Structures are given as structure tokens and as C-alpha cells.
């Protein structure tokens, strides 16, 4: 069965890549999540029990982060969309060796955390990689769950009169943060650390950001044949943008 899935991924990769390349070239921007805003951030790893034995997740480690918040299909507001949070930890595994995590609006509930759902807020609900990672030998999805801003107001209390992105900007000023969690398909999630949102990035720097789930390091590996297709899709989309 595993060999059949790998063969399917290999056979489908050229067509997938061609589709993403064409869409990116037509749009002259990302094939998916075409519009977004960037922020500086920081990931601080906690020290709870049962932590995976992965160098990146050693207790107390802190990493600067680059974040991109985006609408998946680029639908006009106030329509719900697949909201994305892309996280880059520059040089997390050594000079020039980054760690990328790409998450989309979902839920933290068991089983459903493997699915993606349209949403209209970055400060409510949860975000999931949906597709799994092998993390220190355990197959899990990665989650981001919003936490209240530093001023004590709940994320849901931020004014949404200006739409999804305006709500995000207001929450970032108030002190927006997320809990980084992992979870199997069933059972409770496990908290690994806290990701805080800092100052906004210039539009040029945000536009130049590149993400790929296969930008990763020791002990953290995308799992499954669908993740193999994602590698081809992301590379093709980036080539299409340059074209």
C-alpha cells in the first residue's frame, strides 16, 4: 500500500506542478494565499512533560519568527476564506537552515483537526497543518490556537468592523499570540510553546517571503504522499511567480 501511494504521488506530481505554475503565472503572485500581510514574531518553547526529543523544541529555546497571514483563495471580504498562517524560523537549524510551518483555518477538535474550514477571523478558532508530520517518531499535526492579548481583552473582543485583516491588525497591536500545539488524530493536543506577533513587516519583505513545508530540520519531517505533492506544488508556484 505504501509503495502504491508513493507511485501515485510520483505520477501526479508533474500535473500538480503544472497547475500551480500556471495559476501563479496567471496571477503574477502566489497560486494560493495570494494576498497577505507580514509580521515579526517570536517562538518560545515551553518545558512541559512529554516533549518530543527534537533539537528545535528543546525547553526554553527562543527563535525570531517571520509570519504571513493570508486569505487562501483571495476572496473579497467579508466572505469567509481558508485563512492561512505561515511561520518561518530563520536559521533555526543552523545558518541558512530555516524551519517553515504552514497552517490553515481548522479546529483543535479530535479528528476534525485533520480538515480545513473557511473562517473569517485570525483571532478565533484554530489553525492546523492538517497533513501530518513525523515528529520524533510520532505522527501528529501542528496546531496554532489564539490566546488573549496582553491587555486582557479576549481575541473575540477585538473590533471586527473593518474585516478580517483590520481585526488582525488591531489584535496585533493589542498583543496577539498563539499556543503552538501538536496532536494526533484523536485525543487531546499537547502544548509546546507560545508564538507572539510583533511589528508589521514592510510590504516588500512580506512579498519576498517563500515558504515550503519541506523547509525543515532534524526530527521534523512531513509525512504521507500528499505532502510529497505539496513540495512539487510550492516549488512550481514560486517558479510561476518569477516567470
Amino acid at each position: 500500500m505504501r509503495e502504491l501511494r508513493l507511485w501515485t504521488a510520483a505520477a501526479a506530481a508533474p500535473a500538480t506542478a503544472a497547475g500551480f505554475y500556471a495559476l501563479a503565472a496567471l496571477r503574477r503572485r502566489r497560486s494560493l494565499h495570494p494576498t497577505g500581510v507580514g509580521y515579526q514574531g517570536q517562538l518560545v518553547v515551553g518545558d512541559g512533560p512529554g516533549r518530543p526529543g527534537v533539537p528545535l523544541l528543546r525547553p526554553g529555546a527562543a527563535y525570531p519568527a517571520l509570519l504571513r497571514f493570508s486569505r487562501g483563495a483571495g476572496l473579497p471580504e467579508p466572505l469567509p476564506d481558508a485563512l492561512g498562517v505561515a511561520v518561518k524560523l530563520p536559521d533555526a537549524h543552523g545558518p541558512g537552515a530555516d524551519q517553515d510551518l504552514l497552517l490553515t483555518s481548522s479546529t483543535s477538535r479530535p479528528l476534525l483537526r485533520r480538515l480545513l474550514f473557511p473562517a473569517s477571523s485570525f483571532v478565533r478558532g484554530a489553525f492546523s497543518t492538517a497533513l501530518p508530520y513525523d515528529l520524533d517518531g510520532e505522527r501528529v499535526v501542528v496546531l496554532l490556537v489564539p490566546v488573549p492579548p496582553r491587555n486582557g481583552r479576549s481575541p473575540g473582543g477585538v473590533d471586527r468592523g473593518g474585516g478580517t485583516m483590520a481585526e488582525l491588525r488591531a489584535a496585533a497591536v493589542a498583543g496577539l499570540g498563539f499556543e503552538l500545539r501538536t496532536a494526533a488524530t484523536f485525543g487531546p493536543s499537547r502544548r509546546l510553546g507560545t508564538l507572539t506577533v510583533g511589528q508589521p513587516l514592510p510590504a516588500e519583505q512580506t512579498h519576498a517571503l517563500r515558504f515550503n513545508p519541506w523547509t525543515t530540520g532534524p526530527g521534523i519531517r512531513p509525512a504521507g504522499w500528499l505532502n510529497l505533492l505539496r513540495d512539487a506544488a510550492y516549488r512550481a508556484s514560486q517558479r510561476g511567480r518569477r516567470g
Side-chain angles (χ1 to χ4, degrees), residues 157-175:
V158 177
D159 180 23
R160 302 184 64 248
T164 304
M165 292 302 185
E167 180 194 32
L168 170 66
R169 287 190 289 268
V173 171

Side-chain angles (χ1 to χ4, degrees), residues 65 80 110 198 215:
T215 300

Side-chain angles (χ1 to χ4, degrees), residues 39-79:
Y39 285 86
Q40 299 175 13
Q42 184 182 49
L43 173 66
V44 177
V45 181
D47 57 359
R51 183 164 309 284
V54 175
L56 181 77
L57 300 175
R58 64 186 185 279
Y63 303 95
L66 299 174
L67 315 174
R68 185 177 185 269
F69 298 87
S70 59
R71 295 175 60 84
L75 299 176
E77 299 192 72
L79 295 176

Side-chain angles (χ1 to χ4, degrees), residues 9 17 20 40 45 51 53 63 66 75 94 99 117 122 126 136 154 160 176 199 205 213 220 224 234 243:
F20 275 78
Q40 299 175 13
V45 181
R51 183 164 309 284
Y63 303 95
L66 299 174
L75 299 176
Q99 175 66 50
F117 299 99
F122 286 102
D136 191 28
S154 67
R160 302 184 64 248
L176 177 61
Q199 295 298 312
Q205 185 177 359
I220 306 174
Y234 276 78

Side-chain angles (χ1 to χ4, degrees), residues 84-116:
V85 183
V87 181
K88 179 178 288 291
L89 306 177
D91 303 326
H93 301 287
D98 302 345
Q99 175 66 50
D100 288 358
L101 294 170
L102 294 100
L103 305 97
T104 307
S105 48
S106 180
T107 177
S108 60
R109 295 179 180 178
L111 185 61
L112 296 179
R113 59 179 63 126
R114 294 292 302 274
L115 302 175
L116 305 179

